[in-house]
Amino acid sequence: VKMRDTDYRIEVFGFTQQNELWEHIQYLIDINIEAETNLAISTELSGEQRVHACGRAESLRQFKNLLNEERKKALDNIVN
């Protein structure tokens, strides 16, 4: 089932107790950021490959930031 804009509910990010799924998602993103960063600084890559690897690492960082910002907004809505 494809989600639409009208289906999006930010409050799903507003859990207040520890959430095992959230912790696992954060962990998976972190280990992939580390792997992409290590690849990007590898001496085995050519210039174009390095640029590509850097872009992949940065996109993962931005995605993690997006998820964390949505969580912050949801928690701020609970408090207010």
Side-chain angles (χ1 to χ4, degrees):
V1 175
K2 184 176 178 182
M3 181 177 271
R4 299 179 309 264
D5 287 346
T6 56
D7 297 331
Y8 183 73
R9 296 183 354 257
I10 194 169
E11 63 270 8
V12 300
F13 287 98
F15 51 90
T16 55
Q17 297 178 349
Q18 184 175 351
N19 183 294
E20 191 173 347
L21 176 60
W22 180 257
E23 297 301 321
H24 279 74
I25 290 169
Q26 295 288 306
Y27 172 75
L28 285 174
I29 293 171
D30 285 341
I31 63 171
N32 279 280
I33 289 171
E34 182 178 352
E36 292 296 341
T37 301
N38 288 339
L39 179 62
I41 62 175
S42 168
T43 58
E44 299 172 12
L45 293 184
S46 67
E48 287 181 6
Q49 292 170 323
R50 187 175 318 285
V51 169
H52 181 71
C54 288
R56 288 174 52 104
E58 181 59 22
S59 68
L60 285 167
R61 280 188 203 94
Q62 289 177 1
F63 182 64
K64 183 177 181 183
N65 288 340
L66 169 73
L67 291 176
N68 288 324
E69 283 298 315
E70 291 300 292
R71 177 145 166 70
K72 182 180 180 313
K73 283 190 251 179
L75 291 172
D76 288 347
N77 284 337
I78 291 172
V79 172
N80 295 328

